[in-house]
Amino acid sequence: MDLPRHFVIRESSHRVLNPIEPAQLATLGAALRLPVGGTVLDLACGKGELLCTWARDHGITGTGVDIGTAFLADARERAAGLGVADRVAFVHGDAGEYVAAELVDVVACIGATWIGGGTPGTVRLMERSRKPSGMLLVGDVFWRVDPPREAVDALFGDLRGVDCLPLPESVERFHALGYDVVEFVAADERGWDRYVAAGWLSMRRWLDANPDDELAPEIRAELTRSQLHHVRWQRPYLGWGTFALMRR
């Protein structure tokens, strides 16, 4: 069980594997007023930047779960580099099936709501690990403006478990699931650019270094497609943010 190789290549230079920039991730951690010693479970944790930096800055302890072995290796290296390897642990496994052995203060799933078959299912999965007084952090997409049919097909035509709504309807969905939205940090166009465009350089440098690799044609096609996909559809239409939720 692992991530496709092309995904690892594209994301090789990233620390945060979504459009929120490191400064916004720090803003979110400060805004949540996390208690020293608080416990966090991060489902589909990627390279573990949330857990590692919040352990350093706020004294939390936590566990991250992901199927990406290369990403988990980076997460463990990051934890060691920040001096928090004794406070965070990383588990190779399917985040869509993971439930904490002990309930935690915060359960996060930042940008991987497909693990529960969509946002409602992911919220229900996260609830199984949350203390009654705890929070959920859900990173999710939303429509910035009303999209044409072509944008919907281009962005989500091949994806299952993604139900993108306008921002007001996204908040209403959390209300319907029984939650208040108590904090919100949104990516902007700069964040999208930094996330997506960094992958272009990673792919191009990989192609230059590996022209005869069997994956090279696929990476070349992805590099060409991604540039137009981003500027034509993703950047103008798609929003992305992290919602902090508390049970009503």
Side-chain angles (χ1 to χ4, degrees), residues 223-241:
L223 175 56
T224 301
R225 185 202 70 85
S226 176
Q227 295 164 41
L228 291 172
H229 181 81
H230 176 59
V231 298
R232 183 174 289 154
W233 306 120
Q234 205 164 28
R235 196 177 197 271
Y237 292 108
L238 199 62
W240 197 96

Side-chain angles (χ1 to χ4, degrees), residues 58-121:
H58 305 292
I60 61 97
T61 63
T63 300
V65 183
D66 204 280
I67 64 170
T69 55
F71 291 168
L72 291 174
D74 286 343
R76 294 183 183 108
E77 182 178 349
R78 180 67 164 154
L82 294 181
V84 297
D86 59 333
R87 281 182 263 163
V88 294
F90 296 98
V91 176
H92 179 238
D94 184 353
E97 297 180 355
Y98 191 90
V99 177
E102 296 183 6
L103 299 181
V104 300
D105 296 302
V106 178
V107 184
C109 181
I110 310 296
T113 53
W114 59 82
I115 67 170
T119 302

Side-chain angles (χ1 to χ4, degrees), residues 64-222:
V65 183
D66 204 280
I67 64 170
T69 55
F71 291 168
L72 291 174
D74 286 343
R76 294 183 183 108
E77 182 178 349
R78 180 67 164 154
L82 294 181
V84 297
D86 59 333
R87 281 182 263 163
V88 294
F90 296 98
V91 176
H92 179 238
D94 184 353
E97 297 180 355
Y98 191 90
V99 177
E102 296 183 6
L103 299 181
V104 300
D105 296 302
V106 178
V107 184
C109 181
I110 310 296
T113 53
W114 59 82
I115 67 170
T119 302
T122 299
V123 167
R124 287 191 286 271
L125 168 67
M126 297 167 75
E127 286 176 334
R128 298 172 63 189
S129 298
R130 173 186 57 80
K131 290 180 180 178
S133 60
M135 288 186 187
L136 305 182
L137 301 181
V138 180
D140 213 354
V141 290
F142 57 86
W143 294 119
R144 295 178 57 204
V145 295
D146 191 27
R149 183 74 247 174
E150 295 88 345
V152 178
D153 292 341
L155 291 165
F156 300 115
D158 296 330
L159 296 179
R160 298 179 180 179
V162 177
D163 183 14
C164 190
L165 301 173
L167 184 55
E169 282 84 342
S170 296
V171 173
E172 289 175 345
R173 176 166 57 188
F174 291 126
H175 291 172
L177 291 168
Y179 284 87
D180 286 317
V181 177
V182 296
E183 262 295 350
F184 176 61
V185 175
D188 54 19
E189 289 182 346
R190 171 186 156 126
W192 271 120
D193 293 343
R194 299 296 2 103
Y195 173 56
V196 178
W200 301 340
L201 183 57
S202 296
M203 288 188 284
R204 175 54 195 267
R205 285 184 168 166
W206 184 91
L207 284 168
D208 290 346
N210 301 274
D212 299 322
D213 192 284
E214 63 180 5
L215 199 62
E218 181 180 340
I219 297 296
R220 161 47 61 192
E222 168 66 10

